[in-house]
Amino acid sequence: MTSQIYSQKKFVPTPPEKGSFPLDHEGLCKKQFLLYASCLRKNAQDTSQCRQDAQNYLACRMDNNLMEKTEWSKLGFHDQSTKTDQKEPEVQKQ
Amino acid sequence: MMRSLCALRGQCQQLFRSSIRPQNSVHKSQQFWRMKSTDSPEDAARKLRAKSTLYYITAGGVLIVGLSYAAVPLYSIFCQAYSYGGTTTQGHDAEKVEHMKKIEDRVLKIRFNADIGSSMRWNFKPQQYEIKVAPGETALAFYTARNPTDKPVIGISTYNVIPFEAGAYFNKIQCFCFEEQQLNPHEEVDMPVFFYIDPEITADPALETCDTITLSYTFFEAKEGLKLNFPSYAKPHAASA
């Protein structure tokens, strides 16, 4: 009892940095979610292998106003930003 | 004649002795007076020194006790300012995420758990039961909630992180917790959790052998005027008279 009393730590929950995700009621990003889920299943749940699909899902949310637009580097996608830049000229060409 | 001379000598000796004794007593009294006069300043000096020593010792003790109490917050402030001993600064920092380095030689297994409150009627489950995450790298995970009832239900969730010490290094960038989420009748929604594990978790000796972190979400129904039903075995205290 004494050790429990003295070693009891107070857990102070910190809110998430960017708040709460808006709900995707209409399933706008369902496709990207399924792609990400299948990628995890293929790579034995290793998230490092599926960062591109995660970025695609977040990009879909940003495009559909389900997430605040932020720089990719501030979300931890450093190496992916060049790929995104590479994709842009293709879009422009189309 | 000899006897008379001897008697005379005896008397002379007695006179001599009697004359010597009062002088001795006078000397003793004088010495005693001198000792008294010399003792006063010495005693005062000794008492002053004793008092000073007592005051110094007391002040030292109080100072030590005070510094002992102040050491805990001062050390905490120092550690937070200079990241000493793996103490992280308070609050979230987007720049921190921007300059975070992935730790390659350690992979943590994140398990996901989903629960609902007793009066909640959603179907709530994680989309993946565990993923592998490297500290210092952001990761995305999904929960799915479905409302099988015929009316909209508002839910609000809390979360727990096990082990307890790992909660300090589990940082969520965006999730669905602590806010009310409304699901319309027969609606199913994917709920993402975007998080990262602080790379300083590798510097924590308490978590040296920790390779699995469990994230548990619990959804409760958020409605006004909730009345809890009394269980059947709980009887009120009624007066028999």
Side-chain angles (χ1 to χ4, degrees), chain A residues 17-18 36 46-52 54-55 58 72-80, chain B residues 94 96-98 100-103 131-141 171-174 193-199:
Chain A
E17 183 180 335
K18 296 185 184 300
Y36 179 71
D46 191 359
T47 55
S48 299
Q49 310 291 333
C50 305
R51 292 180 62 79
Q52 185 61 49
Q55 187 176 359
L58 296 176
W72 289 115
S73 58
K74 293 193 175 180
L75 299 178
F77 297 100
H78 312 287
D79 49 342
Q80 311 290 336
Chain B
K96 180 182 178 182
V97 178
E98 194 168 3
M100 214 164 41
K101 296 299 179 185
K102 176 189 174 184
I103 293 180
I131 58 175
K132 299 188 184 67
V133 176
E137 194 176 56
T138 53
L140 189 64
N171 297 277
K172 295 178 301 304
I173 298 176
Q174 206 160 358
V193 181
F194 192 44
F195 67 96
Y196 68 92
I197 306 293
D198 205 317

Side-chain angles (χ1 to χ4, degrees), chain A residues 1-93:
Chain A
M1 284 301 294
T2 307
S3 63
Q4 286 183 7
I5 290 172
Y6 284 109
S7 67
Q8 190 69 35
K9 299 175 184 176
K10 189 177 182 181
F11 180 69
V12 184
T14 55
E17 183 180 335
K18 296 185 184 300
S20 184
F21 274 116
L23 288 187
D24 188 6
H25 288 282
E26 304 164 13
L28 300 173
C29 302
K30 189 80 172 184
K31 177 185 174 184
Q32 283 79 10
F33 155 68
L34 290 174
L35 287 173
Y36 179 71
S38 65
C39 178
L40 281 180
R41 201 170 299 113
K42 291 175 187 173
N43 293 275
Q45 313 295 336
D46 191 359
T47 55
S48 299
Q49 310 291 333
C50 305
R51 292 180 62 79
Q52 185 61 49
D53 290 291
Q55 187 176 359
N56 291 344
Y57 177 82
L58 296 176
C60 175
R61 272 192 166 260
M62 290 183 187
D63 295 340
N64 291 280
N65 289 325
L66 292 171
M67 185 179 178
E68 182 188 357
K69 297 199 174 185
T70 319
E71 299 176 14
W72 289 115
S73 58
K74 293 193 175 180
L75 299 178
F77 297 100
H78 312 287
D79 49 342
Q80 311 290 336
S81 60
T82 53
K83 295 185 180 180
T84 307
D85 292 339
Q86 288 174 4
K87 288 183 178 179
E88 283 180 4
E90 296 179 2
V91 176
Q92 291 175 3
K93 289 178 181 177

Side-chain angles (χ1 to χ4, degrees), chain B residues 191-208:
Chain B
M191 297 179 166
V193 181
F194 192 44
F195 67 96
Y196 68 92
I197 306 293
D198 205 317
E200 294 192 353
I201 195 174
T202 56
D204 194 330
L207 297 165
E208 189 176 359

Side-chain angles (χ1 to χ4, degrees), chain B residues 83-95:
Chain B
S83 299
Y84 186 75
T87 304
T88 60
T89 53
Q90 292 182 352
H92 293 290
D93 201 346
E95 294 181 357

Side-chain angles (χ1 to χ4, degrees), chain B residues 87-123:
Chain B
T87 304
T88 60
T89 53
Q90 292 182 352
H92 293 290
D93 201 346
E95 294 181 357
K96 180 182 178 182
V97 178
E98 194 168 3
H99 301 102
M100 214 164 41
K101 296 299 179 185
K102 176 189 174 184
I103 293 180
E104 302 279 351
D105 58 350
R106 186 167 179 184
V107 175
L108 295 170
K109 204 184 301 178
I110 313 292
R111 283 196 190 142
F112 299 95
N113 186 43
D115 283 313
I116 54 172
S118 60
S119 64
M120 178 54 115
R121 284 157 53 183
W122 285 3
N123 296 329

Side-chain angles (χ1 to χ4, degrees), chain B residues 16-79:
Chain B
F16 185 73
R17 286 176 183 175
S18 63
S19 66
I20 285 169
R21 283 178 183 177
Q23 289 181 2
N24 285 339
S25 65
V26 167
H27 272 290
K28 285 182 180 179
S29 65
Q30 285 180 359
Q31 289 178 1
F32 188 65
W33 178 79
R34 287 177 183 176
M35 290 177 71
K36 273 190 176 180
S37 63
T38 55
D39 276 348
S40 296
E42 288 180 4
D43 281 349
R46 286 176 195 167
K47 288 180 181 178
L48 188 63
R49 277 189 245 114
K51 283 183 181 177
S52 299
T53 306
L54 182 64
Y55 289 155
Y56 277 117
I57 291 175
T58 305
V62 169
L63 188 66
I64 287 170
V65 173
L67 285 179
S68 300
Y69 275 98
V72 174
L74 287 176
Y75 186 73
S76 181
I77 290 169
F78 168 75
C79 289

